[in-house]
Amino acid sequence: MREAGALFGRAVALAPALVEARVRLARVKTLQHDDDRAAALLDQVLAAQPAPRWRYMALLLLGGIRERAGRPDEAIRLYGEAIDARPDGQSAYLAMSHAMYAAGDRQTASKTLDRMFARALTPSADEPWWDYLFDWVDAQRFFQDLRE
């Protein structure tokens, strides 16, 4: 993990506008329990108004950071923005519902899941979180092969 962080850090230093490197470095930082550094990177990503997939990823990661920091209202708002960015992204609905449930709002948590289920999502629905570990173009081809 340390090596990945160093490599993504180098990528950010060499190409500061590269959103993907910042998101991936932020993910490494969250795994290293360095939420402050991760949040700063994610704030930079969001300020750059990235493509919807990267916005979704940044919002999910930042929501998790806010949730761990005991700021559920902010986490829920960020998860809602992630849903707006990628309405078929199941992870955002699940994260939002979990945060609501943990905050004691079980009814709204349930309604959030109902919203997700009403979308009648399929295994091939657009969910950036699942594709995140792979290159998105190759991941879709890889997952299609597995589905077949």
Side-chain angles (χ1 to χ4, degrees):
M1 191 171 2
R2 222 174 299 172
E3 185 178 341
L7 291 172
F8 289 131
R10 263 183 66 200
V12 168
L14 291 171
L18 188 58
V19 169
E20 179 177 354
R22 286 185 190 280
V23 172
R24 291 185 184 277
L25 179 56
R27 175 67 176 140
V28 169
K29 294 299 181 187
T30 63
L31 294 171
Q32 294 173 331
H33 308 288
D34 187 356
D35 282 350
D36 290 340
R37 177 73 176 124
L41 287 162
L42 296 167
D43 285 338
Q44 293 167 1
V45 166
L46 293 171
Q49 299 179 358
R53 286 181 178 273
W54 290 113
R55 178 171 170 70
Y56 178 86
M57 292 300 302
L59 289 163
L60 276 181
L61 291 169
L62 191 55
I65 290 168
R66 298 301 184 240
E67 201 172 346
R68 285 189 298 282
R71 295 159 58 184
D73 290 343
E74 191 173 343
I76 291 165
R77 180 185 57 77
L78 291 165
Y79 296 143
E81 289 182 34
I83 290 169
D84 292 342
R86 270 297 190 246
D88 285 349
Q90 302 99 315
S91 295
Y93 292 96
L94 295 172
M96 180 184 243
S97 177
H98 175 268
M100 290 169 165
Y101 187 88
D105 189 355
R106 286 155 173 76
Q107 186 172 12
T108 308
S110 176
K111 288 179 182 177
T112 298
L113 293 179
D114 288 342
R115 281 178 50 208
M116 180 184 74
F117 293 129
R119 295 193 67 80
L121 301 172
T122 66
S124 62
D126 185 21
E127 170 53 91
W129 183 257
W130 297 117
D131 300 343
Y132 171 72
L133 295 176
F134 310 101
D135 173 42
W136 274 316
V137 173
D138 291 334
Q140 288 306 318
R141 200 172 21 234
F142 171 74
F143 288 134
Q144 187 57 41
D145 290 344
L146 289 175
R147 288 182 188 108
E148 290 173 2

